[in-house]
Amino acid sequence: MTTNSNTKIKQEITSQKQPIIKLENLKKAFGDNVVLNGFNLELFEGENLVIMGKSGSGKSVMIKCLIGLTEVDSGNIEIMGKNLRSLNQNELNELRTEVGFLFQGSALYDSMTVRENLEFPLRRHKQKFGIVNDTTPLVEEALNSVGLLSAINLMPAELSGGMKRRIALARTLILKPKIILYDEPTSGLDPITSKEIIELMRNIQSQYNTSSLIITHDVDCARVVSERMILLIDGVNYAEGTFNELSNSKDEKIKAFFKH
Amino acid sequence: MFGFTSIERFFIEIGDFTYFTKRFFQEIFTKPFEYKELLRQCYNIGNKSLFLVSVTAFIIGLVITLQTRPTLQEFGAESWMPSMVSISIIREIGPVIIALTFAGRIASGIGAELGSMRVTEQIDAMEVSGTNPFKYLVVTRVVAATLMLPILVIIGDAIALYGSYIIENLKGDVSLTLYFTKAINALSYTDIIPATIKTFFFGFAIGLVGCYKGFNCDKGTVGVGMAANSAVVFASMLLFILDFIAVFITDIFFEI
Ligand SMILES: Nc1ncnc2c1ncn2[C@@H]1O[C@H](COP(=O)(O)OP(=O)(O)OP(=O)(O)O)[C@@H](O)[C@H]1O
Ligand SMILES: [Mg+2]
């Protein structure tokens, strides 16, 4: 009995050590512009990993390679034990339901209402929830978790930047992903709205029990949400560590990020 | 882009466009097909250009009649007016002018719409959520444009003839029935069928060019403007090339 539960615990520990996302030696260039030059990353289950890097350092390119929106030149991409580059379109779509993506500019479909925006991911993924004819409860649940149920019939053009970001977050939540990728969740927002979004991210983390990969160059955001950080400089993971370790570093390139 | 000369860029563009066309034919024959979105696009595209097409066609009818009437009168041949106008409108002027108007309205509209969706990452968002954006956005719009232009041309031709009738009626006192009897009697199937077939190709080209420019739009708001602009230029150029080919082929087969 005890040995049984012991092995069970052991299994849990080892499975926790398994990275849910693993990037190995990622390389990507646009013509002569080498953006990624051997980038490595491991995201563990339940973890909040922050990636920081200068504007134009290739953070968005990296995260788009990770989800298969951009073809990499070489390297390995593994998500939940599956090699992304060897999947066919259907398998890829299947895997993508487990990975939510919050785009840098929210990327709401501006010809659709908020409700239609949220329903859009459901149209191809009904099997994940069984066949649902009435999507209203799912839409309302997602909107509730970002506190914007009242906006359900508005058009994106009628929303403020912060509201758009929340709706976009609701749209990624609707498929109940295990991993959420945030591309600069606070960019272009005022400090107060940024704080609200960060707060929301933490709530979602505990409510939905997700693992998150967060791209940002907002130091405050990094301090609050990160458990571990990676600095992306010159196309490689230049440094790794906790916020405190990195912010106390003596390296000039690293210090530049934390100067205020 | 990456330091190519303008001639190299021209050929790269042709290659990209060919590849895009090939992808269109691959995607249109594989499931799933977005019927609902197709219907919506047909309505949008047809509805958006109907007014513009009607006004243009009406004016063309008026102008042609006003300008050719004195010449025909000199030879005492006013009674030929309806047949002359109907042949020139049905065969050439109607399809080409209406297609050009359509290109100005639809190619630029699609170019700007898809371009801004590309720039604001909406196309990426679609892809991530499991909907194939090429099927959802491109295939539906191209098919809609292909189906709608012929209908618009038929409507436009009728309106142009009506415009021509108004002038005839004012100046020469012809009745509506007499005018249209003459106009339609002058036409044979070799006038109507090739002219209708080519409008399908025109519509297809306009939709495809608009989508191609928008879908491959450059980053930034400048890119969106450029996508819309070059879509119209490219589409209009392609129209004349297609028209030349169509006239050439018709000439071989029907020996008119
Ligand atoms: N489709 C593309 N074609 C050519 N170059 C590109 C493309 N996408 C990105 N790049 C280049 O890759 C580099 C990295 O861009 P990326 O958008 O990843 O930066 P970023 O780190 O996300 O910056 P920001 O913080 O401003 O969002 C830039 O130099 C950019 O010009
Ligand atoms: Mg970015």
Side-chain angles (χ1 to χ4, degrees), chain A residues 202-216:
Chain A
R202 294 168 55 135
N203 288 345
I204 284 164
Q205 163 94 21
S206 56
Q207 189 185 339
Y208 290 81
N209 196 20
T210 53
S211 323
S212 333
L213 189 67
I214 301 143
I215 288 181
T216 186

Side-chain angles (χ1 to χ4, degrees), chain B residues 55-67:
Chain B
V55 173
T56 318
F58 186 67
I59 293 174
I60 294 288
L62 297 181
V63 168
I64 288 186
T65 316
L66 274 175
Q67 290 202 326

